[in-house]
Amino acid sequence: MAQLTSRIKEAREASLVLAALDTGTKNNALKAMAAALDGNRERILEANRKDVSAAEEMSRRGEMPASLVKRLKVDDEKISGMVAGIEDVTRLEDPVGETMSALKLDEGLTLYQVKCPIGMLGVIFESRPDVVPQILSLCLKSGNGVAFKGGSEASNSNRVLFDVLTEAAYSAGVPRGAFVLMETREDIGAILGMHGDIDLLIPRGSNEFVRYIQENTRIPVLGHSAGICHVYVDDEADMDIALAVTLDSKVQYPAVCNAAETLLVNSKIAGGFLPMMAKLFKESGVEMRVDARAKAFVPKDVAIVDAKDEDWDAEYNDMVISIAVVDSLDEAIGFINRHGSHHTDAIVTRDGGRQSEFVRRVDSADVFVNASTRFSDGFRYGKGAEVGISTNKVHSRGPVGMEGLMIYKYVLIGNGQVVKDYVGKDAKRFLHQRTDERYGG
Amino acid sequence: MAQLTSRIKEAREASLVLAALDTGTKNNALKAMAAALDGNRERILEANRKDVSAAEEMSRRGEMPASLVKRLKVDDEKISGMVAGIEDVTRLEDPVGETMSALKLDEGLTLYQVKCPIGMLGVIFESRPDVVPQILSLCLKSGNGVAFKGGSEASNSNRVLFDVLTEAAYSAGVPRGAFVLMETREDIGAILGMHGDIDLLIPRGSNEFVRYIQENTRIPVLGHSAGICHVYVDDEADMDIALAVTLDSKVQYPAVCNAAETLLVNSKIAGGFLPMMAKLFKESGVEMRVDARAKAFVPKDVAIVDAKDEDWDAEYNDMVISIAVVDSLDEAIGFINRHGSHHTDAIVTRDGGRQSEFVRRVDSADVFVNASTRFSDGFRYGKGAEVGISTNKVHSRGPVGMEGLMIYKYVLIGNGQVVKDYVGKDAKRFLHQRTDERYGG
């Protein structure tokens, strides 16, 4: 543990050098990493076979779902996918050094707001080996050091991938030690106390896992612990759109955080909409948990369940949906802000005024009009790479790409100016002129 | 306490309505607040007289410095200043609803990143009554609810200012209850546990106070607990600039966080620079705490103190400076990153390469070239109003204005699009075209 702590402190030092690397060096390192993956296929596959056979053994004993074993498996095609992923990151524009704004304070005194890496990240993903090259390449391109922990069931694969990639990067000029692999649960416990050394934690995994991280560290945490998304069907909704958007939001991939868990229907159209929607849900095998008012509109031949209070705060991640009838847009907005997880919520309506009221008042990272909640995703948002989805109210919100790994510094370039000249009698006045000048240093 | 908690929960509800208020209503409310201040001068002065006479009593007993009594005092001119401050905020552009970026995902499916308030703030300022109108007007204009606590010695003044201002705002259409005044230390303890209800805490006061807040809450905290700023005089420095910038950084106003605490001098020019600098410091009454190498360059007639280890990590906020000699830019950068508080650090050099290396590698919110550290300030940065100075690595860094009270939401406007059509065989492809369109809702 002491060793992990000191490796992370070294990584923090190295990250300060990494932050200042030029784009060419970083891209060359990324190319070296892609080539190293390509050139070490047998070594990677061999390590992965160990993980997979251990997982298969667990699966036979009923200790691991078959789907997890499948996701764990790396083959030649997956390695090629990892190589392509690194090449994608290589092509992303280097955000470091970008001038976000510039202000002429006075003649010869210009203030630049310049984008820079956050510094040292802690990334904890309970997941498949593909994530190792993805995280390392993103951190390198954005100039951040990282302490990374992947899923324990992939530990052999993760170790080899990490070694192959970091050796290539270090040989190409990346400061040695900027990337740290964590391998045990105890490692996670240790880094939670390292505020001051780690600037941002990015956990991905079960809701319980993310909540545990959030509740046990003073380091800022980027992410979300729940995805309770709503679709509200307004009385001015187009019926075809309402049916299609609601169905897609629920059934297109119910296991994920941006799938809908609750459907709210305006009472004025519940009689027209709910019977059709209930039939579609029935055909798709969706269990409906309905309040008393919604129940009245479901055809007798469709099986339903009476919703309990806890259903309005439940994230099913499954083919289950809770349904309530509301009397107004105002009631729907209040319901969503109270029961939702501030992730993604959609309204279906043709009325422009209600669209914008919903958008302005729903307190969620992603607020959609006449579109499926399932669009809430870094790839669909065109981010190139997704770091996670945030329900935080500061820094980054919604799907987060490389931009979420960046902050800025203020750079003031003068030629000897002192504050004394700008105060008191005969004080010089500030110009405060916006300028398009870029910081060139 | 239970009452405070429920008032803050009500304020959070009200803040969701406040977030959606149009600019006209907000500006009218601000005008009403300014008029109410102007029309209630006698009531404000009377309340302030109570605070001042209690403070004078404490001052006579030696329990309060006279400077604090002076800062507490409100007179007609100060009220006019408060009115002018609200008028300044009224003129600031409304940031809510601004489109930060827009991306056409497909025909008829556009994603907007739209600026919005963070939500519910907790602002704890150990300070003078002037801050009440400043914070309330900033929160109103930015659409945020706030629970505010001012200095206890100003409690009568704060209460009257708060009542006058909020009554005016509520009468002009601001949702009643969006602003809460906290009055006791116990109130602060209570809100520290209200993550989920309060989105961001902004404490200002002593280092100990800010650190206490940071260490006792899971709510994100914006601010800084220390200001250990450096000036590094490189061997390529212009001597006049080095003398002027170093002197101003230390003596122009030593009590504040952006004053320099440590001077680093390159050994190649220490023999030329330090004797002159030491004379200037002596003339200004600055105590010098020097390392062994610096000591050798200080003229015999200038009194100095041997620096102890703890001097390199000390924030004096006084007419004291620690001085060390270093052999290279690299050593200076390492020293600053190790001992500084990531606030504001300056280099004096004519060499462009060293300027940019310093800027890129010093891990501070504000990195200056040939200018005094004292420029690090919201007013000087042209922000109109300053919320605080942040040494955080996420969200906001350096002097923070109203922009630090904002976050964004993603608004997706479609006409019935579903994710099912964008996956699998024959999947529709995303366009991901940047567009200049603004969200108009």
Side-chain angles (χ1 to χ4, degrees):
Chain A
M1 206 62 57
Q3 206 212 342
L4 175 73
T5 313
S6 68
R7 276 191 294 142
I8 286 175
K9 284 178 186 289
E10 283 163 32
R12 181 173 191 80
E13 294 276 319
S15 77
L16 294 168
V17 182
L18 173 55
L21 276 195
D22 61 285
T23 309
T25 306
K26 291 193 286 190
N27 284 347
N28 284 339
L30 287 165
K31 282 173 197 154
M33 286 160 71
L37 274 193
D38 195 38
N40 282 277
R41 287 172 180 264
E42 198 33 58
R43 200 173 145 204
I44 296 163
L45 294 174
E46 191 190 318
N48 183 251
R49 277 191 290 269
K50 283 189 211 162
D51 290 330
V52 171
S53 69
E56 283 170 343
E57 182 58 36
M58 287 180 76
S59 183
R60 269 191 295 276
R61 291 199 306 266
E63 291 164 8
M64 188 181 284
S67 61
L68 198 61
V69 180
K70 202 176 148 198
R71 284 172 59 194
L72 187 60
K73 191 161 180 132
V74 174
D75 56 20
D76 248 326
E77 196 187 339
K78 276 205 184 164
I79 296 177
S80 301
M82 295 179 197
V83 171
I86 296 177
E87 287 164 352
D88 285 346
V89 172
T90 314
R91 279 187 296 269
L92 287 178
E93 214 172 308
D94 188 347
V96 179
E98 183 196 314
T99 301
M100 298 163 66
S101 67
L103 193 69
K104 195 168 167 181
L105 302 192
D106 199 352
E107 293 305 328
L109 186 67
T110 303
L111 179 71
Y112 303 89
Q113 188 185 18
V114 180
K115 212 170 264 187
C116 65
I118 287 178
M120 184 66 198
L121 312 177
V123 177
I124 313 170
F125 276 26
E126 288 181 341
S127 71
R128 53 198 193 288
D130 325 32
V131 174
V132 180
Q134 194 186 325
I135 292 299
L136 290 181
S137 56
L138 266 177
C139 287
L140 170 50
K141 187 69 182 246
S142 63
N144 287 287
V146 64
F148 175 84
K149 165 94 175 61
S152 351
E153 69 287 354
S155 60
N156 289 293
S157 319
N158 290 346
R159 167 50 70 191
V160 167
L161 284 166
F162 183 87
D163 287 348
V164 165
L165 290 163
T166 54
E167 265 317 311
Y170 297 156
S171 305
V174 170
R176 195 160 285 274
F179 305 127
V180 173
L181 184 67
M182 300 182 285
E183 303 195 83
T184 65
R185 270 173 200 279
E186 291 67 39
D187 287 348
I188 298 178
I191 67 165
L192 294 184
M194 295 188 75
H195 51 271
D197 290 307
I198 294 178
D199 298 305
L200 181 66
L201 284 178
I202 308 177
R204 271 177 91 164
S206 68
N207 296 356
E208 294 66 36
F209 172 72
V210 174
R211 202 170 306 124
Y212 174 80
I213 301 286
Q214 288 169 333
E215 289 174 2
N216 287 282
T217 186
R218 282 177 47 211
I219 304 170
V221 177
L222 189 148
H224 67 279
S225 62
I228 304 176
C229 304
H230 297 73
V231 176
Y232 166 59
V233 177
D234 185 56
D235 51 308
E236 290 291 337
D238 175 295
M239 277 300 123
D240 289 338
I241 290 181
L243 294 168
V245 163
T246 306
L247 189 69
D248 192 80
S249 297
K250 179 68 256 181
V251 309
Q252 199 273 327
Y253 191 16
V256 289
C257 59
N258 59 15
E261 307 295 4
T262 300
L263 167 65
L264 301 175
V265 183
N266 189 291
S267 54
K268 295 196 198 67
I269 50 98
F273 173 73
L274 270 179
M276 293 190 285
M277 193 68 240
K279 276 178 72 176
L280 287 179
F281 277 147
K282 184 188 173 188
E283 285 165 24
S284 299
V286 176
E287 177 183 322
M288 287 165 270
R289 305 195 182 171
V290 298
D291 74 352
R293 297 177 73 187
K295 191 174 182 175
F297 298 111
V298 178
K300 295 295 163 235
D301 61 328
V302 176
I304 47 170
V305 175
D306 289 328
K308 299 196 181 81
D309 278 352
E310 55 263 35
D311 278 302
W312 313 117
D313 302 301
E315 181 178 8
Y316 305 115
N317 284 335
D318 205 346
M319 291 293 253
V320 180
I321 194 161
S322 55
I323 306 176
V325 170
V326 296
D327 286 319
S328 65
L329 173 60
D330 195 64
E331 192 184 334
I333 293 170
F335 189 105
I336 292 169
N337 285 338
R338 213 159 40 246
H339 295 290
S341 63
H342 311 290
H343 190 299
T344 302
D345 299 284
I347 185 174
V348 182
T349 186
R350 280 175 299 227
D351 184 284
R354 297 192 198 170
Q355 292 178 358
S356 58
E357 189 167 352
F358 187 87
V359 163
R360 280 184 291 134
R361 288 182 50 202
V362 168
D363 184 24
S364 295
D366 306 84
V367 189
F368 291 1
V369 172
N370 296 332
S372 166
T373 58
R374 288 275 300 117
F375 281 105
S376 177
D377 163 279
F379 165 68
R380 288 171 199 136
Y381 279 21
K383 289 186 180 286
E386 182 180 284
V387 170
I389 296 185
S390 162
T391 54
N392 295 1
K393 297 296 285 285
V394 292
H395 191 61
S396 288
R397 204 178 185 199
V400 180
M402 193 163 64
E403 83 285 355
L405 308 182
M406 310 308 294
I407 184 72
Y408 53 82
K409 50 173 80 168
Y410 283 107
V411 178
L412 181 65
I413 308 288
N415 50 31
Q417 285 83 353
V418 292
V419 163
K420 161 170 82 65
D421 295 340
Y422 295 84
V423 293
K425 268 187 224 166
D426 308 317
K428 293 175 77 173
R429 297 201 50 181
F430 287 103
L431 298 179
H432 289 152
Q433 280 168 357
R434 294 252 153 242
T435 145
D436 287 334
E437 261 183 78
R438 313 266 124 215
Y439 173 65
Chain B
M1 208 61 61
Q3 205 213 343
L4 175 73
T5 313
S6 68
R7 276 190 294 143
I8 287 175
K9 285 180 186 289
E10 282 162 31
R12 181 174 190 80
E13 294 275 319
S15 77
L16 294 168
V17 182
L18 173 54
L21 277 195
D22 61 285
T23 309
T25 305
K26 291 192 287 189
N27 284 348
N28 283 339
L30 287 164
K31 283 173 196 154
M33 287 161 72
L37 274 193
D38 195 39
N40 284 276
R41 287 172 182 263
E42 197 36 56
R43 199 174 145 202
I44 296 163
L45 294 174
E46 191 191 317
N48 184 251
R49 277 191 290 271
K50 285 189 209 160
D51 290 329
V52 171
S53 69
E56 282 169 346
E57 182 58 36
M58 288 179 76
S59 184
R60 268 191 295 275
R61 293 198 305 265
E63 291 162 11
M64 189 181 284
S67 61
L68 198 59
V69 180
K70 200 176 149 198
R71 283 173 59 195
L72 188 59
K73 192 163 179 133
V74 175
D75 56 19
D76 248 326
E77 196 187 338
K78 275 205 185 163
I79 295 177
S80 300
M82 295 179 199
V83 170
I86 295 178
E87 287 164 352
D88 285 345
V89 171
T90 313
R91 278 187 297 269
L92 287 179
E93 214 172 305
D94 188 345
V96 180
E98 185 196 313
T99 301
M100 298 163 66
S101 67
L103 194 68
K104 194 169 167 180
L105 302 192
D106 199 352
E107 293 306 328
L109 186 68
T110 304
L111 179 72
Y112 304 89
Q113 189 186 18
V114 180
K115 212 169 263 187
C116 65
I118 286 177
M120 185 65 200
L121 312 176
V123 176
I124 313 169
F125 275 26
E126 287 181 341
S127 71
R128 52 197 193 289
D130 325 32
V131 174
V132 181
Q134 195 185 324
I135 292 299
L136 290 181
S137 57
L138 267 176
C139 287
L140 169 50
K141 187 70 182 243
S142 63
N144 287 286
V146 63
F148 174 84
K149 167 93 174 62
S152 354
E153 69 287 355
S155 59
N156 289 293
S157 319
N158 290 345
R159 167 49 71 189
V160 166
L161 283 165
F162 183 86
D163 287 346
V164 164
L165 290 163
T166 54
E167 265 318 309
Y170 297 156
S171 305
V174 171
R176 194 161 285 274
F179 305 128
V180 174
L181 184 68
M182 300 182 285
E183 304 195 82
T184 65
R185 269 172 202 278
E186 290 68 39
D187 288 347
I188 298 178
I191 68 166
L192 294 184
M194 294 189 75
H195 53 271
D197 290 307
I198 294 177
D199 299 306
L200 182 66
L201 284 177
I202 308 177
R204 274 178 89 164
S206 68
N207 296 356
E208 294 66 37
F209 172 71
V210 175
R211 203 171 306 123
Y212 174 80
I213 300 285
Q214 289 169 333
E215 288 174 3
N216 287 282
T217 187
R218 284 176 46 210
I219 304 169
V221 177
L222 188 148
H224 67 279
S225 62
I228 304 176
C229 303
H230 296 74
V231 175
Y232 166 59
V233 176
D234 185 57
D235 51 307
E236 291 290 338
D238 174 293
M239 277 301 123
D240 290 338
I241 290 181
L243 294 168
V245 163
T246 305
L247 190 68
D248 192 79
S249 297
K250 180 69 257 181
V251 311
Q252 199 272 328
Y253 192 16
V256 289
C257 59
N258 60 16
E261 307 295 4
T262 301
L263 167 65
L264 302 175
V265 183
N266 190 291
S267 53
K268 296 194 197 66
I269 50 98
F273 173 73
L274 269 178
M276 294 190 284
M277 193 69 239
K279 276 179 72 177
L280 287 180
F281 277 147
K282 184 188 174 187
E283 285 165 24
S284 300
V286 176
E287 177 182 321
M288 286 165 270
R289 305 196 182 171
V290 298
D291 73 353
R293 297 177 74 189
K295 190 174 184 175
F297 297 112
V298 177
K300 295 295 163 234
D301 62 331
V302 176
I304 47 170
V305 175
D306 290 327
K308 299 196 180 79
D309 279 352
E310 54 265 34
D311 278 303
W312 313 117
D313 302 300
E315 182 178 8
Y316 305 116
N317 283 337
D318 205 347
M319 292 293 255
V320 179
I321 194 161
S322 56
I323 305 177
V325 170
V326 296
D327 286 319
S328 65
L329 173 60
D330 195 63
E331 192 184 335
I333 293 171
F335 189 105
I336 291 169
N337 285 337
R338 213 158 41 245
H339 296 289
S341 63
H342 312 289
H343 190 298
T344 302
D345 299 285
I347 185 173
V348 181
T349 186
R350 280 176 299 227
D351 185 284
R354 297 193 198 170
Q355 293 179 358
S356 57
E357 188 167 353
F358 187 86
V359 163
R360 280 183 292 132
R361 288 182 49 202
V362 168
D363 185 25
S364 296
D366 306 85
V367 190
F368 290 2
V369 173
N370 296 333
S372 165
T373 57
R374 289 275 298 118
F375 280 105
S376 176
D377 164 278
F379 165 69
R380 288 169 198 135
Y381 279 21
K383 288 188 181 283
E386 183 180 284
V387 171
I389 295 184
S390 162
T391 54
N392 294 1
K393 297 297 282 289
V394 292
H395 191 62
S396 288
R397 204 178 185 200
V400 180
M402 193 163 66
E403 82 285 356
L405 308 182
M406 309 307 294
I407 184 72
Y408 53 81
K409 51 174 79 166
Y410 283 108
V411 178
L412 181 65
I413 307 288
N415 49 31
Q417 285 83 353
V418 292
V419 163
K420 160 170 82 65
D421 296 340
Y422 295 84
V423 295
K425 267 187 225 164
D426 308 317
K428 293 175 78 173
R429 299 201 49 179
F430 288 103
L431 298 177
H432 289 151
Q433 281 168 357
R434 293 251 154 244
T435 145
D436 287 335
E437 262 183 78
R438 312 267 125 213
Y439 172 64

